[in-house]
């Protein structure tokens, strides 16, 4: 018996289930023009992201870290959601139990209208007091800031991006919701090199809890050997083809149902 085309295998499963969880990484924003973390375009000046996305870097040179985030915000502000974000936004409305866990801080899933987004590493568009006195410090970071780092309105200490840096724990409430979301029928890991934990551990948890695990990435990653199905290619093409296959199956089954 010839093996079923992997896209068709996943599409058939998607056409019969309700609980879908998706983990995304920087690769889903690549087609929008947002630099990935570890790709060739991930460099800023001479720095790697891992050197700047840390509390140590911020303590040593808060102005440099703020300049990096400002540069990223300006890049992201010029980008729009792509076909990956559109399909996932549609799935968030279609599947009764849909959860999207994103490692990205760019806000493109929200801009595409996706519901139930879990921002696992926070948002580049939010800030908070580095001293911890104001969780919800408001600041419009879309405009150039007079002095860097901007000051907390309550304690006059430095404000920081409200993201999870290396060496910092993920918000326990977000981590618990993400763990809950690993109880699902199909778990996708899309556009991530699967090297950053605890995010990368979610696919292992989903598999252990009985989900069909699917990876979408142009290249093999640390997760490829783990998943049930690896769909190799750019997510904007693969996900578009997968969604069309699901709609075709659903259309034919509803046509059968109607006849
Ligand atoms: C934690 C937010 C514990 C900031 C990010 C030493 C000390 C402490 C911890 C550690 C340590 N050593 C290791 C660790 C653990 C560490 C970790 O995992 N390190 C890795 C590098 C080994 N993790 C942590 O530090 C975490 N915290 O462990 O805390 C703790 C507990 C209690 C008390 C105290 C401490 C926190 C990690 C979070 C770091 N923050 N981002 C910001 O964005 O500025 S992580 C950063 O990496 C981004 O969020 C990014 O999303 C994430 C993962 O990267 P990817 O998204 O996968 O991006 P990448 O460029 O790597 O890959 C892109 C992929 O896309 C590629 O595979 C490519 O092929 C693919 N692609 C390209 N084009 C397309 C495509 N795919 C599809 N379609 C396309 N068109």
């Amino acid at each position: 018996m010839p093996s079923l085309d992997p896209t068709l295998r996943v599409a058939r499963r998607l056409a019969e289930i309700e609980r879908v969880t998706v983990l995304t990484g920087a690769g889903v924003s690549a087609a929008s023009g947002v630099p990935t973390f570890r790709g060739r375009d991930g460099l800023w000046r001479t720095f790697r992201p891992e050197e700047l996305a840390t509390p140590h870097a911020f303590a040593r040179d808060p102005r440099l870290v703020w300049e990096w985030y400002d540069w990223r915000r300006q890049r992201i502000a010029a980008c729009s959601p792509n076909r990956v974000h559109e399909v996932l936004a549609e799935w968030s409305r279609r599947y009764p139990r849909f959860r999207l866990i994103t490692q990205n801080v760019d806000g493109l899933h929200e801009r595409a209208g996706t519901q139930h987004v879990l921002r696992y590493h926070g948002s580049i568009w939010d800030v908070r007091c580095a001293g911890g006195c104001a969780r919800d410090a408001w600041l419009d970071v879309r405009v150039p800031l007079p002095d860097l780092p901007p000051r907390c309105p309550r304690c006059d200490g430095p404000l920081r991006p409200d993201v999870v840096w290396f060496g910092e724990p993920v918000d326990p409430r977000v981590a618990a919701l993400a763990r809950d979301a690993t109880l699902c029928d199909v778990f996708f890991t899309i556009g991530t090199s699967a090297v950053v934990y605890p995010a990368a551990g979610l696919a292992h948890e989903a598999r252990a809890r009985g989900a069909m695990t699917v990876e979408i990435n142009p290249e093999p990653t640390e997760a490829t050997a783990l998943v049930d199905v690896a769909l190799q290619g750019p997510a904007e093409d693969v996900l578009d083809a997968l969604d069309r296959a699901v709609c075709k199956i659903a259309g034919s089954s509803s046509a059968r149902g109607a006849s």
Side-chain angles (χ1 to χ4, degrees):
M1 164 104 159
S3 62
L4 188 60
D5 167 76
T7 300
L8 201 50
R9 181 180 161 202
V10 178
R12 284 188 174 171
R13 186 77 182 117
L14 283 173
E16 60 190 16
I17 53 101
E18 294 195 344
R19 302 175 304 170
V20 179
T21 297
V22 180
L23 171 70
T24 60
V28 305
S29 297
S32 298
V34 181
T36 61
F37 251 72
R38 292 162 190 85
R40 279 183 299 282
D41 57 356
L43 262 181
W44 175 69
R45 296 185 190 167
T46 60
F47 299 101
R48 299 287 328 144
E50 290 85 349
E51 296 173 86
L52 295 173
T54 72
H56 179 67
F58 185 75
R60 189 182 60 235
D61 191 342
R63 182 179 187 84
L64 177 73
V65 173
W66 262 99
E67 284 173 347
W68 176 50
Y69 279 93
D70 270 355
W71 172 78
R72 287 172 68 190
R73 272 191 285 270
Q74 284 160 34
R75 288 280 307 252
I76 295 163
C79 300
S80 303
N82 66 63
R83 185 70 186 127
V84 182
H85 302 104
E86 287 166 8
V87 170
L88 295 178
E90 167 53 32
W91 286 10
S92 73
R93 292 183 288 270
R94 182 188 304 166
Y95 291 98
R97 213 7 211 92
F98 178 90
R99 290 293 176 275
L100 184 112
I101 305 161
T102 187
Q103 299 174 88
N104 301 338
V105 296
D106 58 30
L108 289 182
H109 285 301
E110 295 89 333
R111 277 174 54 191
T114 309
Q115 296 165 16
H116 311 303
V117 177
L118 263 180
R119 296 176 186 161
Y120 205 66
H121 292 153
S123 170
I124 200 167
W125 300 107
D126 294 337
V127 296
R128 70 172 193 263
C129 172
C133 85
R135 179 85 208 168
D136 55 353
W138 187 87
L139 181 75
D140 185 353
V141 289
R142 279 169 289 265
V143 297
L145 298 165
D147 62 327
L148 297 179
R151 314 308 295 184
C152 170
R154 291 179 181 78
C155 72
D156 198 39
L159 291 177
R160 57 163 283 180
D162 195 5
V163 298
V164 181
W165 279 330
F166 288 101
E168 293 185 322
V170 171
D171 181 322
R173 292 160 301 179
V174 171
L177 289 170
R179 265 195 310 278
D180 292 347
T182 60
L183 183 62
C184 58
D185 300 303
V186 182
F187 183 95
F188 285 88
T189 173
I190 306 178
T192 179
S193 55
V195 297
V196 172
Y197 283 81
L202 294 168
H204 298 258
E205 262 189 70
R207 181 180 175 81
R209 300 180 83 177
M212 169 193 255
T213 48
V214 183
E215 177 180 47
I216 301 178
N217 199 307
E219 297 167 8
T221 74
E222 297 286 317
T224 306
L226 160 85
V227 297
D228 297 304
V229 184
L231 301 176
Q232 223 164 30
E236 57 275 17
D237 302 338
V238 171
L239 209 57
D240 181 59
L242 178 58
D243 187 52
R244 279 188 282 108
V246 176
C247 293
K248 193 172 172 194
I249 294 167
S252 54
S253 57
S254 61
R256 272 199 306 279
S259 58

